[in-house]
Amino acid sequence: LKIRIAFNGILGKMGRSISAGLAADPDFEICAGYDLSANSSILREGLKIGKVCVKLCGNMEELFTCKPDVVIDFSNGSAFIELVRSATRHNVSLIVGTTGISDEDLNYARQLVNESDIAAIVAPNFSIGAVLMMKFASLASDYFKGCEIIELHHDQKIDAPSGTAVQTAGAIKNSLKKEHRLKENEFEKYEGARGAMVNGIHVHSVRLPGLLAHQEVILGAQGQTLTIRHDTYDRSAYLPGVILAIRKLVDVKGLVCGLENLI
Ligand SMILES: NC(=O)c1ccc[n+]([C@@H]2O[C@H](COP(=O)([O-])OP(=O)(O)OC[C@H]3O[C@@H](n4cnc5c(N)ncnc54)[C@H](O)[C@@H]3O)[C@@H](O)[C@H]2O)c1
């Protein structure tokens, strides 16, 4: 029996990539999609994903009426609470990849989910490799004396440093964290040469065309360094993490935030 999936934000870059990946897998079926930017012709004709034609709904609530087993969301944080409300009303579990959800909204969503029978997984990073990089860096930081992070992204990214770099810096053990960005006798001949101080760790941000999302965590100790590097080459990198989340949903109680709590 196929797992029935309804997709919110299906016309976005992630929506198209993840829904195509799921549709190509015999275990899953995309039963409906919704996107704020759907025009009348796509609403009339449906969305072609591989060999199937998926019905697009006229509003978000309708997504839940096609009896999906799970609703997946890669859209915009402003729709998050409405999505959680609809999910609890229709008793359908949720997987949310949308980023930029405030702590306040996340706490409120946790409350709504706890009062219901549904499960929800909210993960700002579905790349299993990136999550493992953070776990390995955290483990290694017990045995090293210093750590710096270089994160590299495409030149369309407007914010720096990346959320992954901030999260990685947070996972590094306190003993490696610096109180001040520059040592007492240290100075920068050019401003920013030593990078930004994030959670007590130096983070250097590179922005170049040709890159997608990459990160190096460099740990140093006497006579040795350890470099943990992760590279994302295209959006299909997120698919295995989404599939893992779908399979783990049955074991989840309430709302789980972060893929690292599932692996
Ligand atoms: N969790 C992860 O691993 C991961 C990876 C990449 C991107 N993201 C996040 O996923 C989200 C989407 O990214 P993207 O690159 O596909 O962006 P995108 O702009 O290409 O797509 C977003 C889509 O959502 C639609 N949309 C906006 N508001 C909506 C609403 N209220 N209801 C329904 N649809 C709505 C838009 O019309 C658009 O088609 C972003 O928040 C992004 O940061 C998460």
Side-chain angles (χ1 to χ4, degrees):
L1 212 63
K2 288 178 188 260
I3 296 175
R4 287 169 64 79
I5 291 161
F7 212 112
N8 192 42
I10 198 164
L11 297 179
K13 292 183 284 294
M14 285 298 282
R16 285 180 190 269
S17 169
I18 300 295
S19 64
L22 292 172
D25 188 319
D27 289 350
F28 306 108
E29 175 189 348
I30 309 287
C31 62
Y34 172 67
D35 197 293
L36 199 60
S37 68
N39 59 28
S40 53
S41 84
I42 209 162
L43 284 173
R44 201 171 48 240
E45 287 156 25
L47 176 69
K48 209 144 170 9
I49 303 177
K51 289 189 191 118
V52 293
C53 189
V54 173
K55 173 188 163 248
L56 285 211
C57 305
N59 58 62
M60 197 202 280
E61 187 89 20
E62 227 182 292
L63 264 187
F64 293 86
T65 58
C66 71
K67 303 225 175 326
D69 296 306
V70 52
V71 168
I72 298 181
D73 168 72
F74 281 89
S75 64
N76 184 295
S78 61
F80 178 59
I81 293 298
E82 188 193 338
L83 186 76
V84 177
R85 280 216 185 89
S86 302
T88 56
R89 221 172 8 247
H90 293 272
N91 205 26
V92 175
S93 290
L94 268 184
I95 290 178
V96 178
T98 299
T99 57
I101 295 166
S102 68
D103 287 346
E104 194 187 346
D105 279 359
L106 206 56
N107 286 336
Y108 183 49
R110 196 183 298 279
Q111 196 182 319
L112 292 172
V113 170
N114 284 342
E115 287 163 2
S116 77
D117 292 327
I118 72 161
I121 295 171
V122 180
N125 197 334
F126 272 109
S127 157
I128 292 175
V131 170
L132 287 177
M133 170 184 60
M134 288 184 238
K135 285 203 176 209
F136 295 156
S138 171
L139 175 68
S141 64
D142 268 336
Y143 303 95
F144 284 80
K145 292 217 153 53
C147 174
E148 299 206 6
I149 296 170
I150 306 173
E151 59 96 339
L152 312 91
H153 281 80
H154 56 86
D155 60 346
Q156 302 301 308
K157 185 169 174 62
I158 56 168
D159 59 320
S162 70
T164 302
V166 175
Q167 210 183 330
T168 309
I172 300 294
K173 301 288 156 58
N174 282 338
S175 54
L176 272 65
K177 294 187 174 177
K178 302 273 188 306
E179 214 171 306
H180 302 290
R181 202 174 69 90
L182 299 178
K183 284 188 289 223
E184 214 176 308
N185 297 327
E186 201 179 12
F187 68 96
E188 288 178 321
K189 287 191 277 182
Y190 292 87
E191 194 188 330
R194 291 289 293 117
M197 183 78 143
V198 180
N199 282 322
I201 301 289
H202 282 90
V203 176
H204 311 267
S205 296
V206 179
R207 295 292 174 267
L208 283 174
L211 293 168
L212 187 57
H214 316 258
Q215 181 169 289
E216 271 184 19
V217 184
I218 309 173
L219 296 121
Q222 199 179 358
Q224 61 180 321
T225 60
L226 170 66
T227 303
I228 304 167
R229 180 174 171 116
H230 179 253
D231 298 279
T232 310
Y233 299 110
D234 69 62
R235 288 185 180 80
S236 63
Y238 301 107
L239 182 64
V242 172
I243 292 178
L244 184 134
I246 297 170
R247 301 215 183 280
K248 292 270 182 178
L249 259 182
V250 287
D251 304 323
V252 168
K253 294 218 165 19
L255 186 148
V256 168
C257 191
L259 199 64
E260 62 277 16
N261 296 309
L262 301 175
I263 53 180

